[in-house]
Amino acid sequence: MEYITGFLALAFTAVFAAGSLTRGKAFAAKSRLELVFGAADAAVVLFGTRLFMPWGSVPTWLWLVPVAIFAVGVAGAVLRWRDLPAVRPDKPRRRTLAWAVVHAVVLVAVVIVVAG
């Protein structure tokens, strides 16, 4: 059961990297806000993985796999940053910003609960 956090770390970082590197419709981030929250989600999951993974029975170098995927995602986000709008143009701005505030509050709450 404790290895699930490792699989979650791989999944979240892979989705973030795919969203920042692709331009297709399936995974591609459509705004800068989506890139930021994709990175924040992946970072919070990496934080939880670092705390909860049983590193005594798992080689430590395996930690570098999701971290490297996250770094590739950050590089892709940096390359695509100027090409993307700040928020999605097809969604209402007020609803998008309200969702962003709720998302940020949930991420902060998760970090406080996990770390505390």
Side-chain angles (χ1 to χ4, degrees), residues 100-110:
V101 169
V102 170
H103 196 146
V105 167
V106 169
L107 286 177
V108 169
V110 166

Side-chain angles (χ1 to χ4, degrees), residues 85-97:
V87 295
R88 287 182 66 162
D90 59 339
K91 303 267 181 170
R93 192 176 203 61
R94 182 176 294 166
R95 188 177 77 180
T96 301
L97 294 178

Side-chain angles (χ1 to χ4, degrees), residues 52-101:
F52 293 126
M53 192 78 170
W55 294 108
S57 62
V58 177
T60 311
W61 63 267
L62 279 177
W63 167 249
L64 295 177
V65 173
V67 171
I69 295 170
F70 182 73
V72 168
V74 169
V78 167
L79 292 175
R80 287 200 56 211
W81 188 262
R82 293 209 287 171
D83 298 336
L84 294 173
V87 295
R88 287 182 66 162
D90 59 339
K91 303 267 181 170
R93 192 176 203 61
R94 182 176 294 166
R95 188 177 77 180
T96 301
L97 294 178
W99 169 84
V101 169

